[in-house]
Amino acid sequence: NKPKMTLSSIRNFVNVSHTRCSGVFITMATVTTSLLSSAGMATSAISSATGSAPQTLQPYKLLAKQQTSHDSAILRFALPETRPLLGNDPDVPTCIKVKYTHTVDDEHSADEPSTSDSYSKSYSPISHPSTPGYFELLVKSYPYTPGGGVGKFLVDLSVGDTISAAVKSERLMHGSPAVLERNWKNVGMVAGGTGIAPHIQILRILLRDDPDAIVKLLFINRHSEDILLKTELDALVRQYPRRFTVTYSLTGVTKEEHDRVKGPSSMDISATGELIDTSDKFEYGRGSVDMIRRALPPPSSQSETGTMIFVCGMDGFVEHWSGPVMRAPSLKGKKGPKIQGPLLGLLKDAGYDASEVFKY
C-alpha cells in the first residue's frame, strides 16, 4: 500500500528560488517528480483529483503586468489554488488557448442591440512548466480586426482582471511531447518577433535540466528596439555562458547604420565566475545559409551528437526558413490538424533533414 499524498504535502516538496535581474523576477522551480512517482500519483491524476483539470476552460487572474515595449507586455496569471502546475507534466512544454468575447456597440442607433464575437488565440508560456502557482505570457498588442484582437484585449487588462483559458493538448514534436532525453545535444532556435515565446520555455527546460545540451538562438527582428525579452536572454547567457549563445539579426538596418549607434564591446563575470564577452552578436538580413552556419549548430550528419532546430514566427517567416506548416484534411467540417509538411527553405538548403527540424 503506497502512502497517500495531499496537495499541501506535494507543495512542500516544490523548491522555489527567485533571482532579481534588472527589475525582472526569474523563478526557478524544482519539482521532486520521484516523490510523486513513489506516491503512485501521476500529475494528470493530481489535476483530476483536485477538481481543476488543465484542459477545462476556467478563469485565471492577472497578478502582475510588466510592459516590455510600447505594444508588448509580460503578464503573470495565478493558477487555481487547487492545482500546483499549469500542465500535467513539469518537464513538458505547455500551450494555453485564451478565449475572448468582443462586444461591438452600434454607435448610430440606440435601437440596435450590441453584437458580440468570440475569438481565441493560443499562447506558449515563457515560464518553466514546473513553476508553481502562476504562469507568464509574452503578449503583443495588435489592433482589433475581424477575427482578431485577443492580444490587445490581454495587454489592456488591469491587475486583478481575469481571463478564460484552457491548456491545450501536449504538442507532439516528432512523435513525443518531451524535450528531455531526446538526444538533442545541439539545439538551434530560429525566432522571429513574438515567435521567441515557445523557444523560451524549451530553453529553460534544456538549460536547467539537461547539462549536456548546448543551445544557439538566432533571433530576427527589424530593429534592435524591437527585441523582446532581451533582459531575460542576457541573464541566461550570463548564467550558462558555455551552453547558451544568442545571435541577433536585424532586417530594418544595415551593418554600417547599426555600427554608428550600437555600444562598444563589453565584458562581464558569468554566474560561474568566468570572464565572458557580453557584447551582442549581430547579423543583418532575413537569413542565409552562411548566417545559419555562423549562428546555428550543424546538421547531425556533420556532428557526433543529435541536432534539433526549432522555428517559430509569422507564417511567412516559418515558410522562408523551413517551408510552411500544413494541415491534414478537414474533419467533420473543422480544420484538420497541423502537420509539419516537407522541409523546405533555408534550412533545407543548409543540409538539415526534416527529422531534425520542428516548425511551430
Side-chain angles (χ1 to χ4, degrees):
N1 294 326
K2 295 181 179 179
K4 293 184 178 180
M5 299 286 293
T6 65
L7 183 60
S8 60
S9 62
I10 292 171
R11 289 182 185 274
N12 289 336
F13 286 89
V14 179
N15 302 318
V16 184
S17 62
H18 297 277
T19 302
R20 184 174 178 88
C21 178
S22 300
V24 177
F25 282 103
I26 300 174
T27 302
M28 302 298 289
T30 303
V31 178
T32 311
T33 53
S34 59
L35 172 66
L36 300 179
S37 176
S38 64
M41 300 176 69
T43 50
S44 58
I46 296 173
S47 298
S48 59
T50 56
S52 182
Q55 285 74 28
T56 302
L57 185 67
Q58 57 196 282
Y60 293 91
K61 183 178 180 180
L62 182 64
L63 294 177
K65 176 179 176 180
Q66 177 193 338
Q67 204 75 28
T68 56
S69 71
H70 70 282
D71 61 355
S72 302
I74 295 175
L75 306 177
R76 177 178 291 189
F77 292 95
L79 291 174
E81 293 184 359
T82 54
R83 202 168 85 231
L85 305 176
L86 177 61
N88 288 324
D89 191 316
D91 295 322
V92 170
T94 53
C95 184
I96 191 164
K97 177 176 281 191
V98 178
K99 296 197 173 183
Y100 154 67
T101 300
H102 178 49
T103 301
V104 180
D105 293 320
D106 191 321
E107 300 178 354
H108 303 290
S109 173
D111 297 329
E112 292 293 331
S114 299
T115 59
S116 297
D117 295 310
S118 295
Y119 305 120
S120 64
K121 185 175 176 62
S122 298
Y123 291 91
S124 294
I126 60 172
S127 45
H128 194 292
S130 70
T131 302
Y134 69 87
F135 65 93
E136 292 182 330
L137 302 180
L138 171 67
V139 181
K140 188 176 180 70
S141 175
Y142 295 98
Y144 289 115
T145 59
V150 179
K152 180 170 175 54
F153 160 71
L154 289 172
V155 172
D156 288 348
L157 290 174
S158 298
V159 171
D161 290 343
T162 60
I163 61 171
S164 293
V167 176
K168 299 182 68 174
S169 299
E170 294 170 345
R171 187 191 304 266
L172 296 181
M173 297 174 285
H174 296 300
S176 171
V179 172
L180 302 174
E181 299 181 1
R182 298 290 296 269
N183 193 36
W184 297 341
K185 301 309 177 187
N186 292 313
V187 176
M189 297 178 170
V190 185
T194 54
I196 188 64
H199 294 307
I200 287 287
Q201 195 175 78
I202 294 173
L203 180 62
R204 293 191 192 281
I205 295 171
L206 288 171
L207 292 179
R208 199 193 76 176
D209 301 320
D210 187 348
D212 296 323
I214 295 175
V215 186
K216 295 184 176 183
L217 167 65
L218 175 57
F219 193 7
I220 302 173
N221 294 271
R222 284 188 56 78
H223 300 95
S224 55
E225 57 266 30
D226 297 324
I227 297 172
L228 300 171
L229 300 178
K230 191 172 186 304
T231 299
E232 289 82 353
L233 292 172
D234 289 346
L236 289 171
V237 169
R238 287 193 296 270
Q239 187 174 0
Y240 302 97
R242 295 182 178 272
R243 297 178 50 214
F244 178 49
T245 59
V246 182
T247 301
Y248 300 100
S249 185
L250 304 180
T251 64
V253 64
T254 65
K255 183 179 186 304
E256 292 72 21
E257 292 169 332
H258 191 232
D259 282 344
R260 291 197 293 267
V261 297
K262 74 177 182 180
S265 299
S266 59
M267 305 297 289
D268 198 0
I269 303 297
S270 73
T272 58
E274 302 172 78
L275 184 65
I276 57 173
D277 183 358
T278 58
S279 307
D280 293 330
K281 300 175 177 64
F282 282 99
E283 296 276 346
Y284 302 89
R286 297 180 64 225
S288 66
V289 171
D290 287 340
M291 186 186 295
I292 288 172
R293 290 172 179 157
R294 290 189 295 267
L296 296 177
S300 299
S301 60
Q302 301 174 22
S303 65
E304 297 179 357
T305 55
T307 295
M308 178 55 62
I309 307 294
F310 295 97
V311 184
C312 188
M314 301 292 283
D315 290 347
F317 179 90
V318 174
E319 184 171 354
H320 176 69
W321 278 90
S322 53
V325 174
M326 306 180 76
R327 286 192 180 272
S330 61
L331 301 172
K332 297 180 179 180
K334 296 183 178 181
K335 290 182 180 178
K338 289 183 178 180
I339 57 176
Q340 289 291 290
L343 177 63
L344 303 169
L346 292 176
L347 291 173
K348 180 181 180 181
D349 295 342
Y352 295 90
D353 184 78
S355 64
E356 52 192 7
V357 174
F358 185 81
K359 317 169 197 177
Y360 271 86

